[in-house]
């Protein structure tokens, strides 16, 4: 079942989401950006990743929480070590999942 | 053996362990894009199922969940949408809210744009249409080495990630409360671990690590502090603007 009102909300939300996703890619890729802007954009991934990581680890339920309730804050330590040591995306993600499962098992 | 492997690889191509290590660049095709999406798929598995369960419990139908995942395709925004629909908020207010939640994609799209100037406009539009936090995180980590991005690679990672999202959210809605404890398996931590790994790889990609580490510290700090006063997605924007500026200025002074 599909309610008309819900469909309209989804359509509207999709359109206002597509605009920021597509517009810079289409418009900025056609112009040559000044060197300083490009160097700033090169730092966006580090900036975004640190922000996403901090929120994923410190506020997994949408607000800041601490161990023992928030085990992500514990798991991130070995996971960062695995990442630095292996420089491996797959190994770090697999390690993170295992560490988290173990932590939950240990904490009951 | 192990140590020599790590030394040689970590200096040249930090993220070599991604599938097909030898040619680990973005100048690759659809199949490689699909393989590179594996960490994203692991993360979407847990969040997608969780979203389906939450939405169904809140009175959203299976078809509505499927359609939402097909054409909206945005994790946190979909949770927010469901919450607002259930709260009876008017459609216009929901749409404005979702724009504010998703406006951070401007930064992701802009950051990728210098790398895809050789592609056709419709290809760039197609790449942008399926851009998420997670696919941007993976894509940007592969673009750091100055290798031209290939449209096929983007479509590979984008399509399989989107397909995973549609299948898992719909499955969550169908199964409902029958799957209560996927958290016990630890999959809900997959995306956090992916962000951690990609952050380390990104820092490793910079000419000197100090400005990048400083930027990361600022970004993490602002993302948390700002989230106390503004919605989390705005905190991401504030953190990105601050941290990228700090990183750029420090790098200009040290390199």
């Amino acid at each position: 079942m599909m309610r008309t009102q819900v469909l309209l909300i989804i359509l509207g939300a999709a359109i206002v989401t597509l605009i920021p996703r597509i517009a810079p890619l289409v418009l900025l890729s056609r112009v040559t950006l000044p060197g300083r802007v490009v160097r700033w954009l090169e730092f966006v991934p580090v900036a975004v990743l640190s922000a996403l990581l901090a929120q994923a680890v410190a506020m997994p339920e949408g607000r800041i929480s601490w161990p023992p309730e928030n085990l992500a804050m514990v798991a991130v330590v070995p996971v960062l070590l695995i990442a630095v040591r292996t420089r491996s995306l797959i190994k770090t993600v697999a390690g993170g999942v295992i560490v988290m499962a173990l932590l939950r098992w240990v904490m009951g | 053996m192990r140590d020599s492997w790590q030394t040689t690889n970590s200096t040249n191509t930090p993220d070599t362990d991604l599938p097909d290590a030898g040619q680990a660049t973005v100048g690759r095709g659809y199949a490689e894009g699909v393989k590179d999406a594996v960490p994203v798929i692991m993360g979407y598995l847990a969040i997608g199922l969780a979203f389906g369960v939450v939405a169904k419990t809140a009175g959203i139908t299976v078809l509505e969940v499927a359609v939402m995942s097909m054409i909206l395709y945005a994790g946190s925004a979909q949770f927010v949408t469901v919450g607002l629909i259930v709260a009876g908020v008017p459609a216009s207010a929901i749409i404005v809210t979702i724009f504010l939640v998703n406006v951070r994609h401007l930064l992701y799209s802009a950051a990728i744009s210098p790398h895809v100037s050789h592609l056709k406009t419709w290809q760039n539009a197609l790449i942008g249409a399926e851009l998420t936090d997670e696919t941007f995180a993976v894509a940007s980590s592969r673009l750091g080495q100055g290798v031209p991005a290939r449209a096929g690679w983007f479509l590979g990672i984008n399509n399989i990630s989107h397909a995973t999202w549609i299948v898992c959210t719909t499955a969550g809605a169908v199964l409902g409360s029958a799957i209560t404890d996927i958290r016990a398996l630890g999959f809900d931590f997959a995306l956090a671990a992916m962000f951690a790994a990609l952050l380390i790889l990104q820092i490793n990609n910079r000419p000197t690590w100090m400005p990048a580490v400083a930027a990361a510290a600022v970004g993490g700090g602002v993302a948390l502090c700002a989230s106390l006063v503004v919605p989390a997605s705005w905190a991401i924007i504030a953190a990105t603007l601050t941290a990228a500026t700090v990183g750029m200025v420090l790098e200009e002074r040290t390199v």
Side-chain angles (χ1 to χ4, degrees):
Chain A
M1 188 189 69
M2 184 91 212
R3 288 164 287 178
T4 314
Q5 172 80 351
V6 172
L7 180 62
L8 288 176
I9 290 170
I10 294 172
L11 280 173
I15 290 167
V16 299
T17 299
L18 281 172
I19 293 167
R21 274 178 174 164
I22 292 176
L25 258 167
V26 167
L27 300 176
L28 295 183
S29 60
R30 304 171 67 142
V31 297
T32 308
L33 296 168
R36 211 150 180 239
V37 174
V38 171
R39 285 202 302 281
W40 187 85
L41 288 173
E42 281 173 3
F43 257 102
V44 166
V46 168
V48 168
L49 286 165
S50 62
L52 290 173
L53 175 64
Q55 289 193 354
V57 166
M59 35 196 291
E61 311 292 334
R63 56 178 175 81
I64 294 175
S65 55
W66 303 90
E69 181 199 345
N70 179 4
L71 292 175
M73 225 182 258
V74 180
V76 72
V77 178
V79 161
L80 279 172
L81 289 175
I82 296 171
V84 169
R85 180 93 180 106
T86 65
R87 301 271 158 79
S88 156
L89 179 56
I90 296 291
K91 285 176 197 159
T92 307
V93 171
V97 169
I98 293 167
V99 165
M100 193 49 134
L102 283 176
L103 273 175
R104 290 235 171 81
W105 182 67
V106 169
M107 303 293 285
Chain B
M1 178 61 199
R2 174 125 195 101
D3 280 332
S4 64
W5 179 89
Q6 282 177 342
T7 322
T8 35
N9 278 295
S10 58
T11 43
N12 305 330
T13 47
D15 46 349
T16 44
D17 77 303
L18 290 160
D20 292 340
Q23 304 85 32
T25 62
V26 190
R28 304 185 298 156
Y30 194 94
E32 284 75 18
V34 170
K35 286 186 208 159
D36 287 350
V38 168
V40 180
I41 292 170
M42 288 173 71
Y44 282 6
L45 189 72
I47 300 184
L49 283 171
F51 173 76
V53 174
V54 167
K56 187 69 191 306
T57 312
I60 307 295
T61 69
V62 173
L63 181 60
E64 286 164 355
V65 167
V67 170
M68 197 185 287
S69 293
M70 272 181 233
I71 68 173
L72 177 52
Y73 181 40
S76 50
Q78 289 189 206
F79 278 98
V80 172
T81 304
V82 168
L84 295 177
I85 289 175
V86 172
V89 173
S92 55
I94 296 179
I95 291 166
V96 170
T97 306
I98 295 309
F99 174 73
L100 297 177
V101 167
N102 281 335
V103 75
R104 68 182 187 285
H105 290 91
L106 278 175
L107 291 165
Y108 306 163
S109 185
I112 289 179
S113 66
H115 299 283
V116 294
S117 52
H118 59 291
L119 298 180
K120 295 185 173 65
T121 298
W122 65 266
Q123 289 176 318
N124 287 337
L126 218 54
I127 290 169
E130 290 177 301
L131 199 56
T132 66
D133 295 318
E134 295 77 18
T135 55
F136 168 73
V138 173
S140 63
S141 90
R142 320 298 251 95
L143 291 165
Q145 294 132 344
V147 179
R150 215 183 266 172
W153 183 85
F154 272 105
L155 289 184
I157 185 171
N158 283 356
N159 291 354
I160 192 70
S161 301
H162 194 171
T164 303
W165 181 251
I166 296 168
V167 169
C168 291
T169 52
T170 308
V174 171
L175 299 171
S177 47
I179 37 162
T180 45
D181 212 12
I182 42 173
R183 280 161 49 98
L185 295 172
F187 277 92
D188 60 322
F189 192 65
L191 289 181
M194 185 186 84
F195 293 143
L198 291 174
L199 179 61
I200 298 297
L201 294 176
Q202 277 287 333
I203 291 172
N204 199 54
N205 270 345
R206 305 307 307 171
T208 54
W209 59 271
M210 194 282 289
V213 170
V218 169
V222 173
L224 295 184
C225 293
S227 74
L228 299 173
V229 282
V230 294
S233 61
W234 284 26
I236 298 282
I237 297 174
T240 304
L241 296 176
T242 320
T245 307
V246 166
M248 184 195 72
V249 170
L250 286 178
E251 194 170 273
E252 282 175 351
R253 292 186 180 177
T254 49
V255 176

